[in-house]
Amino acid sequence: MAEHHKARPLPPGSLRPAKQLCSECGLCDTSYIHYVKSACAFLNQQFDALEIQVHGRQRDINQENECYFGVHQMMVAARKKQPLLGAQWTGIVTTIGMRMLQKKWVEGVVCVQNTPEDRFQPQPVLARTPEEVFAARVNKPTLSPNLNLLDEIERSGIRRLLVIGVGCQIQALRAVQKYLGLEKLYVLGTPCVDNVTRAGLQKFLETTSRSPHTVVHYEFMQDYHVYFKHEDGSVEKVPFFGLNTKELKDIFAPSCLSCFDYVNGLADLVVGYMGAPFGWQWLVVRNERGQEMFDLVRDELELQPVMSQGQRHQAVQQSIPAYDQGVTLPMWAARLMGVFIEKFGPKGLEYARFSIDSHFTRNYLYVRRHYPHKLASHVPEFAKKIVSQYRLPET
Ligand code: FAD
Ligand code: SF4
């Protein structure tokens, strides 16, 4: 184990070193704050070095799929033969965590439960039993300080660990993993975009859903609608193009508006949905460790090859000013547009590229306007290449 130099964590509520860009990943709540300058995803962008550390090589940005989806050896669409009740999708993430504990591959799993009072308030836990991992199923769609468990992990004496997390958490984790005293670390990532604080989430629910207080779960789906699932089991669908972008512009955390790690490039295995057909999950196996995790649950999954259909470029180019100026369509027009784009719009991997392009162009503009001095170093080469396909406003 590399020697861990400790520093005193910051008191709760105080300004973090990344200031407004802090994604509350949790590192600064621990003695690992000593490494913040080099480890924080928003202070030190270091994809190239970390990809080499984790996967043995950098992504090849001249190969379209690698440029977009990061280093990988396999992609597949999957869903559980028997979906887990209450999971975000079919529960592949939770199943992997539970099986890894049951088979004693690991002694603990970092995952996110909710607080007893609030289903959307994240509560990171070091789960030691499958039941504790099960209790963490479903997204808490808010910034979660998963790395505030780092000192606890070190104290626990655990040698084999699984961490489930989103990109900014995993970037910082990779930077300090050598100090954790682990024999084996598995990282199971999800894609992540447009995350919010708990107050931001409330504003989103109140501006978008017909019944904000009964929402138990929501997702931006591949058919260009947000699906809100309510307590009574009903599903409310709102077209993306009808969202009140002007009102919602400010709810996303500044960290998420300056993030280019949508696909969690440093995880061993990524489980999302955006590269898969509607109703399916999308798995990206990045390396051998990711393959081991996939193989562990393979028999529980239905599989189909990934597909790609449609042409995204024009739709992305047209959406740049709409995103930028906060245009909101009347609901009838939004529904019409939703139907049209669902029928003829990009699908599968092309939908994933559509979503990445739309977010990267928006985020590039955000960094250029608000942090121009950081633009060159903070935006990774793969993102610069993606953004360069589009005409951006001059200012
Ligand atoms: P489940 O079995 O329900 O497990 C969900 C896991 O997520 C749990 O283990 C829990 O520990 C973890 N978790 C919950 N909340 C958080 C949090 N705030 N931070 C870190 N970990 C958390 N996929 C896409 O393809 N495109 C997207 O744009 C996208 N955005 C996402 C945004 C957020 C904030 C999150 C957390 C996930 C996002 N995903 C996205 C992933 C997707 O929504 C599903 O989580 C993923 O497909 C796994 O589904 P599942 O049924 O297997 O998960
Ligand atoms: Fe610290 Fe994480 Fe915030 Fe960076 S993002 S300042 S590492 S808590």
Side-chain angles (χ1 to χ4, degrees):
M1 175 180 168
E3 191 190 351
H4 171 199
H5 297 278
K6 302 189 177 191
R8 196 193 296 265
L10 289 171
S14 54
L15 193 63
R16 300 314 199 222
K19 304 198 172 76
Q20 280 69 26
L21 284 182
C22 172
S23 71
E24 298 171 26
C25 79
L27 183 108
C28 295
D29 304 336
T30 72
S31 65
Y32 287 77
I33 190 179
H34 177 84
Y35 305 102
V36 65
K37 271 197 193 149
S38 63
C40 175
F42 303 96
L43 296 175
N44 183 28
Q45 185 279 111
Q46 49 174 339
F47 276 102
D48 291 355
L50 291 177
E51 280 181 342
I52 293 170
Q53 174 194 312
V54 177
H55 309 306
R57 66 181 180 87
Q58 285 171 233
R59 71 181 78 185
D60 177 359
I61 65 169
N62 294 315
Q63 222 245 66
E64 191 182 41
N65 275 351
E66 285 236 343
C67 184
Y68 273 85
F69 309 129
V71 174
H72 61 276
Q73 53 190 51
M74 199 262 281
M75 286 196 278
V76 72
R79 60 184 179 200
K80 282 209 69 204
K81 291 175 190 163
Q82 290 180 332
L84 270 193
L85 204 64
Q88 183 73 12
W89 281 73
T90 70
I92 296 178
V93 168
T94 299
T95 304
I96 293 174
M98 291 169 70
R99 298 288 173 266
M100 287 180 77
L101 277 171
Q102 282 159 344
K103 300 266 179 195
K104 304 206 184 315
W105 283 22
V106 293
E107 299 151 279
V109 176
V110 171
C111 51
V112 185
Q113 298 181 351
N114 55 282
T115 58
E117 312 77 48
D118 180 356
R119 64 166 73 102
F120 290 131
Q121 186 70 49
Q123 175 75 60
V125 294
L126 177 57
R128 307 296 290 261
T129 65
E131 292 72 27
E132 287 168 325
V133 178
F134 185 74
R137 72 200 183 285
V138 81
N139 293 357
K140 287 67 192 183
T142 42
L143 301 174
S144 173
N146 287 23
L147 299 190
N148 70 14
L149 297 167
L150 290 176
D151 287 322
E152 186 183 335
I153 292 165
E154 196 186 330
R155 273 195 310 270
S156 71
I158 280 180
R159 304 299 305 279
R160 282 166 289 117
L161 178 73
L162 167 68
V163 175
I164 299 170
V166 298
C168 54
Q169 299 159 357
I170 302 307
Q171 285 178 61
L173 172 73
R174 290 305 195 185
V176 301
Q177 74 174 70
K178 59 179 175 288
Y179 306 113
L180 284 167
L182 298 171
E183 195 179 280
K184 197 144 187 186
L185 171 66
Y186 292 90
V187 177
L188 174 48
T190 65
C192 182
V193 79
D194 294 348
N195 215 338
V196 289
T197 58
R198 185 62 186 84
L201 175 66
Q202 204 53 39
K203 186 166 177 193
F204 171 67
L205 295 174
E206 279 163 18
T207 32
T208 315
S209 171
R210 60 170 153 75
S211 169
H213 301 294
T214 58
V215 173
V216 286
H217 156 304
Y218 74 84
E219 189 77 270
F220 285 73
M221 297 287 238
Q222 300 102 316
D223 64 352
Y224 303 86
H225 287 76
V226 191
Y227 281 53
F228 293 97
K229 192 163 172 213
H230 291 276
E231 278 165 354
D232 63 2
S234 64
V235 176
E236 173 190 6
K237 294 193 215 174
V238 180
F240 286 2
F241 306 100
L243 294 182
N244 190 340
T245 25
K246 206 170 229 148
E247 277 280 315
L248 296 176
K249 234 174 142 192
D250 302 327
I251 67 161
F252 301 129
S255 54
C256 306
L257 293 170
S258 56
C259 167
F260 297 91
D261 193 21
Y262 195 169
V263 297
N264 212 326
L266 300 170
D268 299 315
L269 170 66
V270 177
V271 180
Y273 64 89
M274 64 185 184
F278 186 78
W280 290 71
Q281 293 186 257
W282 172 55
L283 274 59
V284 184
V285 176
R286 300 204 179 283
N287 57 30
E288 278 313 306
R289 253 165 229 216
Q291 187 71 43
E292 287 172 36
M293 287 189 263
F294 172 70
D295 290 341
L296 181 64
V297 297
R298 187 186 204 121
D299 290 346
E300 300 183 55
L301 305 178
E302 255 182 276
L303 302 177
Q304 65 161 297
V306 283
M307 48 74 79
S308 187
Q309 191 185 309
Q311 239 301 337
R312 72 191 181 279
H313 285 103
Q314 226 181 336
V316 175
Q317 185 66 59
Q318 281 165 3
S319 71
I320 293 172
Y323 243 151
D324 205 35
Q325 291 152 21
V327 175
T328 306
L329 291 178
M331 197 46 87
W332 65 267
R335 290 203 193 283
L336 202 66
M337 180 112 154
V339 169
F340 181 80
I341 202 152
E342 190 192 338
K343 211 162 168 137
F344 302 106
K347 295 203 169 55
L349 294 180
E350 188 68 359
Y351 173 84
R353 287 186 282 259
F354 163 81
S355 191
I356 291 171
D357 286 354
S358 309
H359 286 94
F360 279 17
T361 47
R362 181 199 63 184
N363 289 9
Y364 185 88
L365 286 173
Y366 181 85
V367 178
R368 198 180 74 185
R369 282 179 190 146
H370 298 276
Y371 300 93
H373 57 288
K374 284 176 83 82
L375 191 69
S377 60
H378 181 68
V379 184
E381 288 311 308
F382 60 83
K384 286 183 183 142
K385 182 160 180 169
I386 289 170
V387 170
S388 72
Q389 300 170 94
Y390 297 99
R391 289 184 314 281
L392 299 183
E394 292 294 322
T395 53

